[in-house]
Each structure stands twice: as structure tokens, then as C-alpha cells.
Amino acid sequence: MVKAVIFDMDGVLIDSEPMWQQAELDVFGRLGVTLQPHQTKQTAGMTTRAVTEYWYQQSPWQGVSLADTEAAVISQVAQSIASRGEAKKGVLRLLQQLQQQQLPTALATNSSQYLMDTTLDTLAIRHYFAAHCCVEMVAQGKPAPDIYLLAASKLEVAPADCLVFEDSYTGISAAKAAGMTVVAIPAAEEWHHEKFGIADVKIRCLSEFDMRLWH
């Protein structure tokens, strides 16, 4: 019996992955790191700090700190979300359904507080969530389970009673490590990838999901 629901943010509530991809291509490109669009998928789901460190190890640059590089990526993504961010198909219907069923709901994202707030305010969905958890609130981001355990704690629900919606293998791994049930929403081009087999359920879109069958 599901007693609480926890959502990842990027790629689940909002189609921000193209925005992340463009920001990484632009920011790292200015620093002399030549990336192809498909290479950004290697770091999908990782924290922005981890992505920055990853590309610095691959192709070190000079003159700009890792912290400033990370901030530049976040700033560009935030501007993109604020100007054209939209909720993904099925998001509002499911959030309304959860509210009607009085199921406590939390957000658990590897993104920063700034991006979390920008997304919640742009989509006007903050009021649906009883808890908002971002990467600065935990010792380790996903794939460590910390952020999901924090969300369950804030909702005062046992991890085993939580249902999670995730789009990345990194996030799914984090939720499974926390002992939670996971619904995977892979990107279309990754639908058949075997790595998503660790999820309990796999759907193409939130509009396919009926919470009434789980509560």
C-alpha cells in the first residue's frame, strides 16, 4: 500500500533535459571542452557539480573555477526554465489526483535550491508538495539514497511505503537503494535499455499512470 509519493524533477515534472544539454554545450564549449550532444547523456541524472568535475577531468581548463562553471550552467538552465518551462504531459492531472486522495507528496531533485524554486514557481505547482528536497540538503546526491530518505522523513512515511517517479538510471538507483518502489519514465530513445529493468514499473508518460490502482 502506497502511503506517499515522491517525484524527481528534471525529466519527470518538466522537460528540462534539452535545456541542460544546451547549457552544458554552451558553458563547457566556451571553456574549450568540445562536446557532442549525445555525450551529455553520459552525465544525465548527476548533480551539476559532478557533471562539472567529470568534464574537467576529461578536459581540464584554466581561468574559471569549478564553482563558477557550475553556477554558469545552473544560471542558463534557470533562465530557460523561467522563459519557456512547461509541465510534462500528465503532471497536473496526477498531482491533482494525489491531492484529492490526500496522499502526501514530495519533490526530491539532484538540482539546486535555485533551480527547484524556479521550476516550482514557473509551473505553479509548489502547493502540491508537502516537502521540497534539493541537493544542498544532503551529504550525497543521487545515486546515493540520501535525498529519498530525507523526503520520506519529511513526509513521516517509511521508505518502503513510498512510490517514486524517476526518469534516469541514476535516480532510479537512488530510490531503490532507499528501499522504495520505483516507476521509471525513460526517454523515448532509451525505452528498451536493459538498465531500466531495476525499476518496478515502466511507463512512457505520466498520463498513463492511474494512482487509484496503487492506493
Side-chain angles (χ1 to χ4, degrees):
M1 179 68 72
V2 173
K3 297 181 180 177
V5 177
I6 307 174
F7 289 86
D8 172 47
M9 186 176 77
D10 294 294
V12 173
L13 299 180
I14 182 171
D15 186 18
S16 53
E17 297 306 326
M19 302 175 190
W20 279 103
Q21 181 183 81
Q22 191 59 55
E24 290 171 16
L25 292 174
D26 291 348
V27 172
F28 295 123
R30 289 195 295 270
L31 295 170
V33 183
T34 304
L35 297 180
Q36 298 300 317
H38 72 272
Q39 290 179 285
T40 63
K41 296 184 184 301
Q42 297 174 25
T43 56
M46 291 167 56
T47 65
T48 316
R49 173 56 57 86
V51 173
T52 304
E53 291 173 347
Y54 178 84
W55 291 118
Y56 181 78
Q57 290 168 4
Q58 302 298 314
S59 182
W61 58 81
Q62 296 181 337
V64 182
S65 70
L66 294 186
D68 286 346
T69 303
E70 176 189 6
V73 172
I74 290 173
S75 177
Q76 182 168 327
V77 173
Q79 290 173 17
S80 297
I81 290 173
S83 63
R84 62 179 189 275
E86 295 181 352
K88 293 196 72 172
K89 182 180 178 182
V91 168
L92 294 179
R93 181 193 64 84
L94 181 54
L95 289 175
Q96 290 164 359
Q97 191 178 68
L98 294 171
Q99 188 177 66
Q100 291 165 359
Q101 292 179 268
Q102 297 184 322
L103 270 173
T105 304
L107 180 63
T109 176
N110 251 3
S111 285
S112 66
Q113 174 94 43
Y114 176 44
L115 282 176
M116 180 175 72
D117 287 340
T118 300
T119 301
L120 289 172
D121 293 340
T122 299
L123 303 186
I125 57 173
R126 182 184 294 273
H127 61 287
Y128 288 110
F129 298 94
H132 313 96
C133 304
C134 59
V135 72
E136 289 101 333
M137 298 178 181
V138 292
Q140 297 182 82
K142 306 170 189 177
D146 303 29
I147 202 160
Y148 279 114
L149 295 174
L150 174 64
S153 175
K154 284 178 173 285
L155 294 178
E156 299 182 340
V157 175
D161 295 326
C162 294
L163 181 70
V164 171
F165 290 95
E166 267 284 0
D167 70 311
S168 72
Y169 178 74
T170 300
I172 294 168
S173 300
K176 293 302 293 182
M180 299 178 177
T181 300
V182 184
V183 178
I185 317 171
E189 65 271 17
E190 291 196 302
W191 175 258
H192 295 291
H193 200 295
E194 61 184 14
K195 65 185 178 182
F196 292 101
I198 66 171
D200 299 277
V201 180
K202 188 170 71 167
I203 60 176
R204 295 183 184 275
C205 175
L206 280 178
S207 59
E208 292 181 6
F209 195 82
D210 189 346
M211 195 64 223
R212 291 172 297 183
L213 302 177
W214 290 76
H215 180 53

